Amino acid sequence: MSINSVINAVKYSEELDKVFAQKSVTGFFADNALAAKFVGAKTVIIPDIDFQGLADYDRNSGYTKGAITVSNTSHTMSMDRARSLQIDREDMDETGIANLAGKILGEYVRTKVVPECDAYVLSKMASIAMDMDNTVDGDVAAPLASLHDLICEVQSRVGYDEELVAFVNSGMYAQLQASDELNRSITVSDFKQGEVNLKVQSFNGVAILPVVNERMKTEFIFNDTEIGGFKPAADCRDIYMLVCPKSAVHLVKKTESMRIFTPEQNVDADAYKFDYRIYYDAFVNRNDMNSIFAWVSPVIEFTAEPEDATASVGGQAVLSADVEGATAYQWFSCDANKSFIKRIANATADSYTFSDTDEKGEYHFFLRAYLNSFTYKDSEVVTVKVQ
C-alpha cells in the first residue's frame, strides 16, 4: 500500500485544524491574530494602536494636530509541542490508512491537543487578570450576581457595544443552570467559532462558554518529558469565571503541521508514522490587558503534608495533614502513580488511621481537601509500608 505523503499531510493538517477550531473553547481567539506578523523563529509582532483625543477647533489656525501612535510589540512564543505516533502496517489491512489514520489523529487532537491549548490560554488570561488586580470576590451561592459583576466590570472598561465572552467552569455552570433567575433571563444566540456558527446560551448578550474544571486553573505544568501532557500546578487555584472581550486575546498558531512516513520510509518500525507539531501562544495587547476580569477560588494550602509511614502486619499507621482554607476532607486509596483511585468510606477528617491489614506490601493514599463541592486540592501521595 502506498500513499502520497505530501498531499495527505496537507489534507490531514487542514482537517485537524478544523477539529481544533471547532472543539477548542478558546479556538475562536485565532480569528484575532490576522494582524500578527512573524519575525524570526519565536517572535510575533502585534501592533498596539493609540490615538490622541479631540481638541478644540480654532477658527484662525484650524485643526489641532494629533498623533497616531503605532507601537509594534514583540511577543515571544513559548509553546512548541509535538508528538510522533505510529500505526502498525498490519492494522491497516481492514480499514485502510485513510480511515484509521483520520480517526486516530482527529481523536488525538480532540483529547490531547485541544485540552492542553485551552488550559494554557485560560490560565494565561487568569494570570493577567490577577496581575492587574482585575478580580471579584463572588459568592458561590449566588453565581449569577457574580457573573453580572464581572460583565459590568469589563463593560466599564470597554463600553457596551463590545462583544464579550464568559468562560465558566463546569461546577459553577451547574450552579447557574439551577438558578431560576438565570432561566428567566437567559437567551440563545449565535456564536462564531472558526468556520462554524454555534448556538450558545447568553446572559445580557454575553455568550456563556462552559469549560471542564480541569482546564480552568490559574497555573499548569506542561510536561516536557516522554510522558507529555499537562497537569495543574501545586499552587494553582480554580478559575470560576473569566470574562473578556472576544477580541482581547490573539491565539497565534505559527505551526500546526503533519508529516507522514510510510512503512518503507520509517526506519524505526514496520508502521506508518505521523509526526504532529503545534507551535502556538496567546497574547494580549497592552491596551486590552485591563479588560480581562476573573473570579478565582480562595487558596487551599497544605501547611503540613501527610508523611510516609510504616506498620506491622495487623498494626496501624496514622496519616494526618494540616490544611488551611478547607471545609471538608476525604481520603482516597490509589497506586504510586495516583491511578486506580478509590474513596475510603468514613475517612472524612484531616487524619486517617490505616489498620487491619494482614498482607505485607506498600499501600498508597492521598487526602483531598474541599473548599466546596467542586473546589478542592489534593495532598501528595503517601506510602504506608506494611512489614
Side-chain angles (χ1 to χ4, degrees):
M1 183 187 301
S2 64
I3 61 173
N4 187 321
S5 297
V6 176
I7 294 177
N8 274 346
V10 172
K11 289 182 177 179
Y12 280 129
S13 293
E14 291 174 348
E15 292 304 313
L16 294 178
D17 185 63
K18 292 179 182 178
V19 172
F20 180 94
Q22 294 172 14
K23 298 298 183 181
S24 169
V25 74
T26 60
F28 64 88
F29 284 136
D31 298 338
N32 300 333
L34 298 179
K37 294 183 178 180
F38 298 99
V39 179
K42 292 187 175 182
T43 304
V44 178
I45 303 296
I46 299 178
D48 280 306
I49 303 175
D50 196 13
F51 304 93
Q52 288 181 306
L54 291 170
D56 288 343
Y57 180 82
D58 189 286
R59 290 178 179 267
N60 294 318
S61 58
Y63 294 92
T64 302
K65 293 182 179 180
I68 300 175
T69 304
V70 180
S71 56
N72 288 322
T73 306
S74 299
H75 301 273
T76 301
M77 299 182 69
S78 60
M79 300 301 288
D80 194 354
R81 308 284 280 171
R83 178 64 78 183
S84 184
L85 306 170
Q86 290 192 146
I87 307 175
D88 192 270
R89 182 201 295 266
E90 297 302 320
D91 293 334
M92 298 300 177
D93 289 346
E94 295 296 330
T95 60
I97 177 68
N99 289 335
L100 186 57
K103 292 178 180 179
I104 290 176
L105 296 173
E107 190 70 2
Y108 185 75
V109 170
R110 186 183 71 84
T111 61
K112 299 298 182 182
V113 178
V114 165
E116 177 174 315
C117 291
D118 281 346
Y120 175 78
V121 174
L122 293 167
S123 64
K124 190 166 187 177
M125 293 170 63
S127 295
I128 291 173
M130 295 168 71
D131 289 343
M132 300 292 293
D133 200 25
N134 288 350
T135 59
V136 301
D137 294 324
D139 182 358
V140 293
L144 186 60
S146 302
L147 176 59
H148 182 266
D149 289 345
L150 284 168
I151 293 172
C152 289
E153 290 284 1
V154 176
Q155 288 176 332
S156 70
R157 307 298 172 91
V158 302
Y160 296 88
D161 59 347
E162 189 79 23
E163 185 177 4
L164 307 185
V165 292
F167 301 95
V168 180
N169 80 1
S170 54
M172 197 59 65
Y173 186 70
Q175 296 274 89
L176 285 173
Q177 294 297 96
S179 168
D180 292 336
E181 186 179 355
L182 178 67
N183 291 331
R184 290 194 297 268
S185 57
I186 202 165
T187 59
V188 177
S189 60
D190 292 323
F191 186 82
K192 184 172 176 58
Q193 186 159 307
E195 299 178 0
V196 179
N197 287 317
L198 303 176
K199 296 291 185 181
V200 300
Q201 292 182 321
S202 297
F203 174 68
N204 288 352
V206 178
I208 301 175
L209 304 180
V211 189
V212 295
N213 288 354
E214 288 73 14
R215 304 181 203 178
M216 291 281 277
K217 308 289 182 182
T218 56
E219 187 179 359
F220 290 92
I221 296 172
F222 297 91
N223 298 318
D224 57 2
T225 58
E226 183 178 349
I227 191 173
F230 68 101
K231 62 181 180 180
D235 296 329
C236 75
R237 297 159 68 180
D238 283 352
I239 306 170
Y240 289 156
M241 296 181 183
L242 188 66
V243 178
C244 70
K246 192 177 180 182
S247 60
V249 181
H250 299 268
L251 175 59
V252 180
K253 291 189 294 175
K254 187 172 182 181
T255 301
E256 188 177 17
S257 63
M258 175 68 62
R259 298 192 309 169
I260 300 177
F261 300 92
T262 66
E264 291 74 23
Q265 297 168 325
N266 186 357
V267 298
D268 297 321
D270 185 25
Y272 288 91
K273 182 181 177 184
F274 301 87
D275 290 346
Y276 176 86
R277 182 186 179 194
I278 181 169
Y279 190 16
Y280 73 98
D281 213 321
F283 306 110
V284 178
N285 287 354
R286 183 176 61 252
N287 295 337
D288 293 322
M289 284 189 174
N290 208 26
S291 65
I292 301 174
F293 275 77
W295 174 23
V296 299
S297 67
V299 175
I300 303 175
E301 183 179 2
F302 278 82
T303 55
E305 292 273 356
E307 297 181 351
D308 294 343
T310 59
S312 58
V313 173
Q316 295 182 341
V318 178
L319 306 175
S320 63
D322 290 330
V323 189
E324 291 185 358
T327 59
Y329 304 93
Q330 177 63 58
W331 286 89
F332 295 84
S333 63
C334 59
D335 64 9
N337 298 317
K338 204 177 177 180
S339 301
F340 305 103
I341 296 173
K342 183 179 180 181
R343 183 188 300 267
I344 302 174
N346 301 320
T348 56
D350 56 3
S351 64
Y352 166 62
T353 301
F354 173 71
S355 61
D356 299 330
T357 178
D358 295 327
E359 295 186 15
K360 295 181 179 180
E362 292 186 349
Y363 299 83
H364 307 281
F365 307 92
F366 69 89
L367 172 64
R368 178 165 293 173
Y370 288 90
L371 176 66
N372 49 48
S373 59
F374 48 85
T375 297
Y376 58 82
K377 186 173 183 179
D378 291 347
S379 72
E380 299 292 333
V381 174
V382 292
T383 301
V384 175
K385 188 173 183 180
V386 179
Q387 54 191 9

